[in-house]
Amino acid sequence: MTKNDADRQLLRKSGYKATPSRLAILGIFKKARKPLSAQEVIDALPRSADQATVYRTLKSLNGKGVLKQIDLRHNHAHYELADLAEHHHLICLACGKIEIVHHCGMEETQARILRSSKHFAEIRQHALEFYGVCKSCALKEKKNN
Amino acid sequence: MTKNDADRQLLRKSGYKATPSRLAILGIFKKARKPLSAQEVIDALPRSADQATVYRTLKSLNGKGVLKQIDLRHNHAHYELADLAEHHHLICLACGKIEIVHHCGMEETQARILRSSKHFAEIRQHALEFYGVCKSCALKEKKNN
DNA sequence: TTTTAAATGCGAATTATTTGCAAATAATTT
DNA sequence: AAATTATTTGCAAATAATTCGCATTTAAAA
């Protein structure tokens, strides 16, 4: 259980109890290495935890910065482990294909924005996603015209 | 109806019929000048158009780049007129306050990303939003500890 | 004016997320 | 190691968000 201990600590440090469901959910995100929806997490859980538990867990881990919420334009939230190297996504609006985008260079921009903001005390996260059409979907679109 | 004619043209140019509902919806966004949810659009419509119509309209106008979808982390989509000067948002996770962010400097970044992408043919839009806590909510949070 | 493809309205279906509450349990204290 | 306590869970039901099928209407083209 050496591996698990890191997650236990992470949870404790964030002010949560290290329960089996939470450890399992973290484990799923570690394996997946791509944005997962609540439903995908539920399906991936071996002895399915209740959906309410999954939703609650995702929301609170997102709040604590353990997970990061991603908007893939699918009408439901996706999440990813936040401590993976900082990256963003390029998402095909037609088929959903995802490509990783590194180096957004937003760290300084974010600091500048906060400094020049009238009302804000803190920036906790930012979303930067690019929506487009992948090459194979672009071909298909051409055919259909 | 001079004003309306611009919208009629816009719709036609995008391949749509210029129907009363669509013109009304465009009008609402022009007045609002802030991100609106489908429900807010429905409520703002004088002789309420059907919700299915509103959802369909928002989705297709977003697809054509007339509207831009914004994720405020409210569990439902928001939209804004896309042709307002390019800007982004700073959103309070606690109370929902929104501040406008100008100059994201993403245009070049976006071009660079597309060039170095293996699979993508086109980038149609990008989302860049900052989530944080506004000063007054930060104060409240302090009190509750 | 007729035609026709596109758009609408309606109701119902589906999907996504949250809630209230009683029971279970992780961490803490004894 | 047992007792305590504040969290967390599971369940079922509620609510919210979005989509669908289909008959009818309508904007634009012919």
Side-chain angles (χ1 to χ4, degrees), chain A residues 68-69 88 125-129, chain B residues 73 127-131:
Chain A
K68 188 184 168 203
Q69 186 175 340
H88 300 279
Q125 50 178 281
H126 68 271
L128 172 60
E129 316 303 339
Chain B
R73 299 285 151 96
L128 173 59
E129 318 302 338
F130 298 88
Y131 306 94

Side-chain angles (χ1 to χ4, degrees), chain B residues 76-135:
Chain B
H76 53 262
H78 285 75
Y79 297 87
E80 240 182 6
L81 278 185
D83 69 352
L84 298 177
E86 154 101 355
H87 69 260
H88 299 277
H89 302 89
L90 182 46
I91 300 141
C92 179
L93 292 165
C95 75
K97 191 202 304 304
I98 296 176
E99 205 173 276
I100 303 292
V101 173
H102 294 286
H103 313 306
C104 70
M106 268 298 125
E107 296 71 22
E108 321 149 28
T109 310
Q110 185 165 306
R112 173 176 60 74
I113 286 167
L114 188 57
R115 259 183 276 119
S116 58
S117 160
K118 275 208 248 322
H119 302 298
F120 277 74
E122 189 188 349
I123 293 182
R124 293 203 176 149
Q125 50 178 280
H126 68 270
L128 173 59
E129 318 302 338
F130 298 88
Y131 306 94
V133 182
C134 74
K135 288 174 182 169

Side-chain angles (χ1 to χ4, degrees), chain A residues 3 41 47 50 59 81 83 104 120:
Chain A
K3 230 184 147 193
V41 172
R47 10 185 32 59
D50 189 76
K59 188 182 267 200
L81 278 185
D83 70 351
C104 71
F120 277 74

